[in-house]
Amino acid sequence: MGRKKAPLPRRPVAVPTVIANWKMQLSIREATRLAQAIRDGARSLPAPVQIVLCPTFPALPSVRDVLRGSGIALGAQDAFWDERGPFTGAVSPSTLAEAGCQYVILGHSERRRFAHEDDEAVSKKVSAALRRHLTPILCVGETLDDRRAGHQERIVTEQVVRALAFSPPPATGQRLCIAYEPVWAIGTGQAIEPEQALTMAKVIHQALVDLFAHPGSEIGTRPRNVKILYGGSVDAENVVQFISGTITHGVLVGTASLDERRFLTLLHAVARNAAAT
Ligand code: PGA
């Protein structure tokens, strides 16, 4: 019995998602000003783009106020897996929802590296976020050593499978984003080749099919409410290469989201591409 091969999904191209990960790069005042500029500049986009801004925790309330009514969503950069308790420094998914977040980045390689988060922690966080109807932006990706050894497909498949181990397929009303971010392309200014991103998006697609296929589900399908994104040195010049096709549905942007002109140029490129397809 061989593995089911997932055919490429044949469904209308969804509204592209562009997520800004501001990391620990901006003060509250800078984040608020940047959110205002993005909100104002995004009004003239030629097609809908789901924009998500992820500031540092203390900037969430002021950025939320700026975004109110704009259609731009608010996201956090991490969440804990429990709702309440003696967890100094942690922030619960329900508190994030109360603060106005709709999205939360989980398992980013910087947290895996600096905060020693492993797949088990990431998995508990994903299911806690889904329970609170936050959309997890689950980050997966191999290191340069993994890639040099040719292990990227196995590593990424394992990360996806382990991160979703405790989660049933996202139910109606729940959504999940999986961002493929090769660690060696983050913050380097050197994005990977679009074909490499597409190959890995297909690997993630197949992992989802294998995970969530169950009796009664259509063979070769994955939940409709799961989007696959690419991240790692995305900018206005290269973004369109990463969102064409029906497998990748958007991008996760760090450095190029920190400057209003750069980010708005990127958003316009995404919207123009969406308008043309
Ligand atoms: P980058 O960061 O765009 O600066 O590479 C992406 C990320 O870390 O999510």
Side-chain angles (χ1 to χ4, degrees):
M1 288 270 287
R3 265 163 34 113
K4 290 178 297 301
K5 263 281 170 230
L8 298 188
R10 259 180 279 121
R11 66 176 75 131
V13 180
V15 172
T17 298
V18 177
I19 300 167
N21 177 10
W22 289 344
K23 309 191 179 186
M24 206 180 70
Q25 302 278 25
L26 303 172
S27 68
I28 297 176
R29 188 190 296 240
E30 289 166 339
T32 309
R33 284 215 189 112
L34 182 55
Q36 283 163 346
I38 292 168
R39 177 200 63 195
D40 296 344
R43 289 200 180 109
S44 58
L45 292 177
V49 176
Q50 178 59 69
I51 305 166
V52 185
L53 303 185
C54 303
T56 187
F57 286 127
L60 286 170
S62 48
V63 172
R64 174 200 58 206
D65 292 346
V66 167
L67 299 183
R68 191 164 279 134
S70 67
I72 299 177
L74 185 68
Q77 297 176 18
D78 184 36
F80 197 59
W81 58 71
D82 218 330
E83 280 304 331
R84 199 174 280 260
F87 304 111
T88 303
V91 181
S92 73
S94 56
T95 306
L96 292 176
E98 189 184 355
C101 292
Q102 292 160 270
Y103 289 78
V104 58
I105 298 172
L106 295 173
H108 191 281
S109 61
E110 285 152 13
R111 291 208 57 84
R112 291 180 193 257
R113 182 162 163 224
F114 298 121
H116 308 294
E117 283 187 12
D118 58 14
D119 288 330
E120 193 190 338
V122 174
S123 139
K124 290 197 282 187
K125 291 179 174 201
V126 169
S127 56
L130 283 169
R131 273 200 302 278
R132 289 291 156 193
H133 292 278
L134 290 169
T135 300
I137 303 156
L138 164 65
C139 298
V140 295
E142 80 285 357
T143 62
L144 191 53
D145 284 346
D146 295 332
R147 166 79 49 175
R148 284 193 175 130
H151 293 157
Q152 64 273 15
E153 300 193 7
R154 178 177 59 76
I155 297 281
V156 167
T157 300
E158 278 173 10
Q159 286 176 341
V160 171
V161 169
R162 289 180 183 157
L164 299 178
F166 298 134
S167 303
T172 315
Q174 290 180 320
R175 286 178 302 157
L176 170 68
C177 294
I178 301 184
Y180 168 60
E181 294 207 305
V183 178
W184 45 282
I186 294 175
T188 60
Q190 201 62 57
I192 67 171
E193 293 300 321
E195 298 73 41
Q196 294 175 307
L198 188 62
T199 300
M200 296 307 290
K202 287 179 183 169
V203 166
I204 294 170
H205 171 83
Q206 186 64 50
L208 291 168
V209 170
D210 292 345
L211 255 178
F212 292 136
H214 55 86
S217 73
E218 257 180 83
I219 300 292
T221 60
R222 63 178 162 81
R224 279 175 172 273
N225 33 3
V226 181
K227 283 187 168 188
I228 300 175
L229 316 177
Y230 168 74
S233 296
V234 174
D235 60 25
E237 285 71 45
N238 64 26
V239 67
V240 168
Q241 301 174 325
F242 293 111
I243 52 168
S244 37
T246 51
I247 288 224
T248 45
H249 306 105
V251 284
L252 177 53
V253 188
T255 313
S257 70
L258 294 170
D259 175 88
E260 90 184 54
R261 287 186 53 172
R262 274 186 92 186
F263 193 55
L264 284 168
T265 309
L266 184 154
L267 289 172
H268 273 271
V270 172
R272 273 199 306 277
N273 181 68
T277 47

Short mmCIF file of all heavy atoms in Angstrom, two decimals, residues 19-23 25 105 108-110 139 179 181-183 185-190 230-235 252-258, ligand 1:
data_model
loop_
_atom_site.label_atom_id
_atom_site.label_comp_id
_atom_site.label_asym_id
_atom_site.label_seq_id
_atom_site.Cartn_x
_atom_site.Cartn_y
_atom_site.Cartn_z
N ILE A 19 1.42 38.62 6.32
CA ILE A 19 1.58 38.79 7.77
C ILE A 19 2.88 39.54 8.05
O ILE A 19 3.94 39.16 7.54
CB ILE A 19 1.60 37.42 8.47
CG1 ILE A 19 0.27 36.70 8.19
CG2 ILE A 19 1.83 37.57 9.97
CD1 ILE A 19 0.28 35.23 8.54
N ALA A 20 2.77 40.60 8.83
CA ALA A 20 3.96 41.38 9.23
C ALA A 20 4.39 40.93 10.62
O ALA A 20 3.63 41.06 11.57
CB ALA A 20 3.63 42.87 9.23
N ASN A 21 5.60 40.41 10.70
CA ASN A 21 6.17 39.99 11.99
C ASN A 21 7.18 41.05 12.41
O ASN A 21 8.29 41.09 11.88
CB ASN A 21 6.83 38.61 11.82
CG ASN A 21 7.52 38.15 13.09
OD1 ASN A 21 7.35 38.75 14.15
ND2 ASN A 21 8.29 37.08 12.98
N TRP A 22 6.76 41.90 13.35
CA TRP A 22 7.63 43.02 13.74
C TRP A 22 8.63 42.63 14.81
O TRP A 22 9.39 43.47 15.27
CB TRP A 22 6.76 44.21 14.19
CG TRP A 22 6.05 44.87 13.05
CD1 TRP A 22 6.33 44.71 11.73
CD2 TRP A 22 4.94 45.78 13.12
NE1 TRP A 22 5.47 45.47 10.96
CE2 TRP A 22 4.61 46.13 11.79
CE3 TRP A 22 4.20 46.33 14.16
CZ2 TRP A 22 3.57 47.02 11.49
CZ3 TRP A 22 3.17 47.22 13.86
CH2 TRP A 22 2.85 47.56 12.55
N LYS A 23 8.58 41.39 15.26
CA LYS A 23 9.58 40.89 16.22
C LYS A 23 9.75 41.89 17.37
O LYS A 23 8.77 42.46 17.83
CB LYS A 23 10.89 40.57 15.49
CG LYS A 23 10.66 39.69 14.25
CD LYS A 23 11.91 39.15 13.65
CE LYS A 23 11.56 38.27 12.45
NZ LYS A 23 12.69 37.60 11.87
N GLN A 25 11.44 44.74 17.19
CA GLN A 25 12.16 45.77 16.44
C GLN A 25 11.63 47.18 16.65
O GLN A 25 12.28 48.13 16.25
CB GLN A 25 12.06 45.44 14.93
CG GLN A 25 12.61 44.10 14.53
CD GLN A 25 14.13 44.13 14.37
OE1 GLN A 25 14.81 44.96 14.95
NE2 GLN A 25 14.65 43.20 13.60
N ILE A 105 1.47 33.97 16.04
CA ILE A 105 2.62 33.24 15.48
C ILE A 105 3.09 32.23 16.52
O ILE A 105 3.26 32.58 17.70
CB ILE A 105 3.78 34.22 15.15
CG1 ILE A 105 3.33 35.23 14.09
CG2 ILE A 105 5.02 33.45 14.68
CD1 ILE A 105 4.35 36.34 13.83
N HIS A 108 7.97 30.01 15.91
CA HIS A 108 8.94 30.71 15.05
C HIS A 108 10.35 30.20 15.37
O HIS A 108 10.66 29.91 16.52
CB HIS A 108 8.84 32.22 15.28
CG HIS A 108 9.60 33.00 14.25
ND1 HIS A 108 10.96 33.15 14.31
CD2 HIS A 108 9.19 33.63 13.14
CE1 HIS A 108 11.37 33.85 13.27
NE2 HIS A 108 10.31 34.16 12.53
N SER A 109 11.19 30.13 14.36
CA SER A 109 12.54 29.55 14.58
C SER A 109 13.33 30.33 15.62
O SER A 109 14.20 29.77 16.30
CB SER A 109 13.31 29.48 13.26
OG SER A 109 13.47 30.77 12.73
N GLU A 110 13.03 31.64 15.74
CA GLU A 110 13.76 32.41 16.77
C GLU A 110 13.35 31.97 18.17
O GLU A 110 14.16 31.95 19.08
CB GLU A 110 13.53 33.91 16.54
CG GLU A 110 14.34 34.38 15.33
CD GLU A 110 13.77 35.56 14.58
OE1 GLU A 110 12.85 36.23 15.11
OE2 GLU A 110 14.23 35.81 13.46
N CYS A 139 4.99 28.10 12.40
CA CYS A 139 6.20 28.24 11.59
C CYS A 139 6.99 26.94 11.61
O CYS A 139 7.24 26.37 12.69
CB CYS A 139 7.08 29.36 12.12
SG CYS A 139 6.27 30.96 12.07
N ALA A 179 3.41 28.43 8.02
CA ALA A 179 4.41 29.22 7.29
C ALA A 179 5.68 28.41 7.16
O ALA A 179 6.30 28.05 8.17
CB ALA A 179 4.68 30.52 8.02
N GLU A 181 9.29 28.48 6.67
CA GLU A 181 10.35 29.48 6.78
C GLU A 181 11.70 28.76 6.94
O GLU A 181 12.06 28.38 8.06
CB GLU A 181 10.13 30.38 7.99
CG GLU A 181 8.90 31.24 7.92
CD GLU A 181 9.09 32.51 8.75
OE1 GLU A 181 9.39 32.41 9.94
OE2 GLU A 181 8.94 33.60 8.18
N PRO A 182 12.43 28.58 5.85
CA PRO A 182 13.75 27.98 6.00
C PRO A 182 14.60 28.90 6.89
O PRO A 182 14.72 30.08 6.60
CB PRO A 182 14.29 27.91 4.57
CG PRO A 182 13.45 28.84 3.77
CD PRO A 182 12.14 29.01 4.46
N VAL A 183 15.15 28.33 7.95
CA VAL A 183 15.84 29.16 8.95
C VAL A 183 16.97 29.96 8.30
O VAL A 183 17.22 31.11 8.64
CB VAL A 183 16.38 28.25 10.08
CG1 VAL A 183 17.14 29.06 11.11
CG2 VAL A 183 15.24 27.49 10.74
N ALA A 185 17.11 31.35 5.51
CA ALA A 185 16.71 32.47 4.64
C ALA A 185 16.13 33.63 5.45
O ALA A 185 15.87 34.70 4.90
CB ALA A 185 15.66 31.99 3.63
N ILE A 186 15.96 33.44 6.76
CA ILE A 186 15.32 34.48 7.57
C ILE A 186 16.31 35.59 7.88
O ILE A 186 17.41 35.33 8.38
CB ILE A 186 14.77 33.88 8.88
CG1 ILE A 186 13.63 32.91 8.57
CG2 ILE A 186 14.31 34.97 9.82
CD1 ILE A 186 13.09 32.18 9.79
N GLY A 187 15.92 36.81 7.54
CA GLY A 187 16.72 37.98 7.91
C GLY A 187 18.03 38.10 7.16
O GLY A 187 18.89 38.89 7.53
N THR A 188 18.21 37.33 6.10
CA THR A 188 19.49 37.34 5.38
C THR A 188 19.43 38.23 4.14
O THR A 188 20.45 38.53 3.54
CB THR A 188 19.86 35.92 4.90
OG1 THR A 188 18.81 35.47 4.04
CG2 THR A 188 20.03 34.97 6.07
N GLY A 189 18.22 38.61 3.72
CA GLY A 189 18.08 39.35 2.47
C GLY A 189 18.18 38.43 1.26
O GLY A 189 18.14 38.86 0.12
N GLN A 190 18.28 37.14 1.51
CA GLN A 190 18.47 36.16 0.44
C GLN A 190 17.35 35.13 0.51
O GLN A 190 17.48 34.13 1.25
CB GLN A 190 19.85 35.50 0.64
CG GLN A 190 20.43 34.85 -0.59
CD GLN A 190 20.66 35.83 -1.72
OE1 GLN A 190 21.37 36.81 -1.56
NE2 GLN A 190 20.04 35.57 -2.86
N TYR A 230 4.75 31.26 2.72
CA TYR A 230 6.22 31.23 2.71
C TYR A 230 6.76 32.43 3.47
O TYR A 230 6.19 33.52 3.39
CB TYR A 230 6.77 31.26 1.26
CG TYR A 230 8.27 31.51 1.28
CD1 TYR A 230 9.15 30.50 1.67
CD2 TYR A 230 8.79 32.78 1.00
CE1 TYR A 230 10.51 30.74 1.78
CE2 TYR A 230 10.16 33.03 1.10
CZ TYR A 230 11.01 32.00 1.49
OH TYR A 230 12.37 32.24 1.62
N GLY A 231 7.86 32.25 4.19
CA GLY A 231 8.54 33.37 4.85
C GLY A 231 10.04 33.18 4.80
O GLY A 231 10.55 32.05 4.79
N GLY A 232 10.75 34.31 4.77
CA GLY A 232 12.22 34.29 4.71
C GLY A 232 12.71 35.24 3.64
O GLY A 232 12.70 34.88 2.46
N SER A 233 13.04 36.48 4.07
CA SER A 233 13.57 37.51 3.16
C SER A 233 12.62 37.83 1.99
O SER A 233 13.06 38.08 0.87
CB SER A 233 14.96 37.11 2.64
OG SER A 233 15.87 37.06 3.72
N VAL A 234 11.33 37.82 2.30
CA VAL A 234 10.35 38.25 1.28
C VAL A 234 10.39 39.77 1.20
O VAL A 234 10.45 40.46 2.22
CB VAL A 234 8.93 37.78 1.68
CG1 VAL A 234 7.90 38.34 0.71
CG2 VAL A 234 8.86 36.27 1.73
N ASP A 235 10.37 40.29 -0.03
CA ASP A 235 10.30 41.74 -0.21
C ASP A 235 9.42 42.07 -1.41
O ASP A 235 8.86 41.16 -2.04
CB ASP A 235 11.71 42.36 -0.33
CG ASP A 235 12.49 41.79 -1.51
OD1 ASP A 235 11.85 41.33 -2.48
OD2 ASP A 235 13.73 41.81 -1.47
N LEU A 252 4.90 35.53 5.06
CA LEU A 252 5.19 36.05 6.41
C LEU A 252 6.44 36.91 6.23
O LEU A 252 7.47 36.43 5.76
CB LEU A 252 5.44 34.87 7.35
CG LEU A 252 5.83 35.14 8.80
CD1 LEU A 252 4.87 36.10 9.48
CD2 LEU A 252 5.85 33.84 9.58
N VAL A 253 6.32 38.18 6.60
CA VAL A 253 7.35 39.15 6.26
C VAL A 253 7.93 39.78 7.53
O VAL A 253 7.17 40.31 8.35
CB VAL A 253 6.76 40.28 5.37
CG1 VAL A 253 7.88 41.19 4.86
CG2 VAL A 253 5.96 39.70 4.22
N GLY A 254 9.23 39.74 7.68
CA GLY A 254 9.88 40.39 8.82
C GLY A 254 10.45 41.74 8.40
O GLY A 254 9.75 42.76 8.40
N THR A 255 11.70 41.76 8.00
CA THR A 255 12.43 43.00 7.72
C THR A 255 11.66 43.96 6.80
O THR A 255 11.56 45.16 7.09
CB THR A 255 13.80 42.67 7.07
OG1 THR A 255 14.41 41.62 7.85
CG2 THR A 255 14.70 43.87 7.05
N ALA A 256 11.11 43.44 5.71
CA ALA A 256 10.46 44.32 4.74
C ALA A 256 9.12 44.86 5.25
O ALA A 256 8.48 45.67 4.56
CB ALA A 256 10.26 43.59 3.41
N SER A 257 8.69 44.44 6.43
CA SER A 257 7.43 44.99 6.97
C SER A 257 7.70 46.13 7.95
O SER A 257 6.78 46.72 8.49
CB SER A 257 6.63 43.89 7.69
OG SER A 257 7.26 43.50 8.90
N LEU A 258 8.97 46.47 8.16
CA LEU A 258 9.31 47.46 9.19
C LEU A 258 9.37 48.88 8.63
O LEU A 258 9.50 49.84 9.39
CB LEU A 258 10.68 47.12 9.81
CG LEU A 258 10.72 45.81 10.60
CD1 LEU A 258 12.16 45.44 10.96
CD2 LEU A 258 9.88 45.94 11.86
P1 PGA B 1 12.56 38.20 7.28
O1 PGA B 1 11.84 37.53 8.56
O2 PGA B 1 11.47 38.64 6.34
O3 PGA B 1 13.32 39.37 7.86
O4 PGA B 1 13.43 37.17 6.69
C1 PGA B 1 10.79 36.61 8.38
C2 PGA B 1 10.40 35.98 9.68
O5 PGA B 1 11.27 35.78 10.54
O6 PGA B 1 9.23 35.67 9.91
#
